[in-house]
Amino acid sequence: MIQDKLFRRGRAWIELDRGALENNVSVLRARLPDGCALMPAVKANAYGHGAELIVPELLRLGVHDFCVATAQEGAEVRSLGADGTVLVLGWTAPEQYALLREFDLTQTAADLDGARALAAAGLNLRVHLAVDTGMHRLGEDCGSFERIAGALRLKGLQIDGIFTHLCCADSAAPEDADFTREQLNRFGRLSASLRSAGLGHLKTHALNSGGILAYPEYGGDFVRPGIALYGVMSSARDTLRLGSGLHPVLSLRAKIAQVRAVHAGEGAGYGLDFRAVRESRLAVLTIGYADGLPRCLSNGAGRVLINGRFAPIAGRICMDQTLLDVTGIPGVQAGGTVTLIGRDGENEINACEPAELSGSISNELLSRLSARLERVWS
Ligand SMILES: *Cc1c(COP(=O)(O)O)cnc(C)c1O
């Protein structure tokens, strides 16, 4: 990719706030029991923020261990200088086992059979075993002690960790809190049984962002924060409940290419979906759905900040451009900067807003911000 100062903030870009990232690392660290380390989730290009910027900064902040989704992501994180555990959380095809070895990645084994497949490669791969405590995604059944112990005793692997994943930790509903505690207690009982069986050297980890904020006492050796590290929670409700002290790391901005007047009754954009009900001014914004702006924010569903004021999206979002209704907002000019996520003057748009308006969560919106956006420190 062409990365040059000349291209920075050229059209549509992501600005990352170093201070916010540092703050979030300290806020999360302050919650952890002694001996428990952050192993942040930097999968999906660090939740869209840009792994190339985020990983080196986390290294500078003393983070050594990372979680990713795929072997390729793991290779990238290792190449960026990660010197601790780089755990691949997802499934890896046997064709890529050599990649695991070459970049000294730790692969998740989904169950005893998955562990056997990894052992059969004869590469002495590093492995953490996933244990299913109720989510029923990846993991060997927590109740199958023999299968778990069997996997852990396989020859030809370096298995040095077990972990589980929480599915309701971000919910305050009493039944979800009960379920989460039950997941954590199951995992705790398993860890105790493994210690009794002479398998006490294993590293354990269970907590995602919601888990760290609501159940920090179950820390173990590592925690795996994703969304909280980036200073937002999945929804505004979670942010209210759990997010205190975290600051958003990412702002999304784009330039205005043109401003024009349209007369009452005229349409604009594809399908002429925008209809001017009065004499209006439209601005053409240099970002579209190919950059990750959800198209369902069209026709006034979404809004942006311009000169500190909110302006609605006008008509249908295009692949690379978007119209804004800037009627009545003073000083809007071609070359001006618009904020889609982040602060502008007194006002702010949290990533949860466009996420919720498009029927999703901030995790999805952020992780889909495309490679075409430039990523810079603010
Ligand atoms: C993505 C992921 C995380 C991070 O989740 P957040 O809710 O973003 O903190 C942790 N563990 C696993 C297994 C994951 O897949």
Side-chain angles (χ1 to χ4, degrees), residues 283-306:
V284 185
L285 187 60
T286 53
I287 189 169
Y289 60 76
D291 299 289
L293 184 64
R295 188 171 172 278
C296 57
L297 297 177
S298 294
N299 296 313
R303 60 180 186 169
V304 303
L305 279 168
I306 179 162

Side-chain angles (χ1 to χ4, degrees), residues 39-43 47 67-69 87 89-90 108 135 137-138 163-166 169-170 205-212 223-230 232-234 363:
M39 183 161 63
V42 292
K43 59 198 185 187
Y47 286 44
C67 300
V68 294
L87 174 63
L89 296 166
T108 294
M135 182 175 186
R137 197 174 65 177
L138 292 187
F163 70 98
T164 194
H165 192 41
L166 304 174
D170 55 353
H205 46 104
L207 303 181
N208 56 1
S209 295
I212 297 166
V223 291
R224 308 185 306 266
I227 196 69
L229 184 78
Y230 307 105
V232 278
M233 294 303 290
S234 298
N363 312 45

Side-chain angles (χ1 to χ4, degrees), residues 26-44:
S26 346
V27 165
L28 294 173
R29 274 194 179 134
R31 305 188 65 82
L32 303 183
D34 284 349
C36 178
L38 295 178
M39 183 161 63
V42 292
K43 59 198 185 187

Side-chain angles (χ1 to χ4, degrees), residues 43-87:
K43 59 198 185 187
N45 200 19
Y47 286 44
H49 290 59
E52 273 184 45
L53 282 77
I54 294 289
V55 170
E57 190 60 20
L58 288 172
L59 289 168
R60 206 183 60 78
L61 295 170
V63 171
H64 301 279
D65 310 291
F66 296 88
C67 300
V68 294
T70 71
Q72 278 109 322
E73 288 179 353
E76 186 192 351
V77 167
R78 183 66 82 204
S79 307
L80 289 168
D83 53 355
T85 300
V86 177
L87 174 63

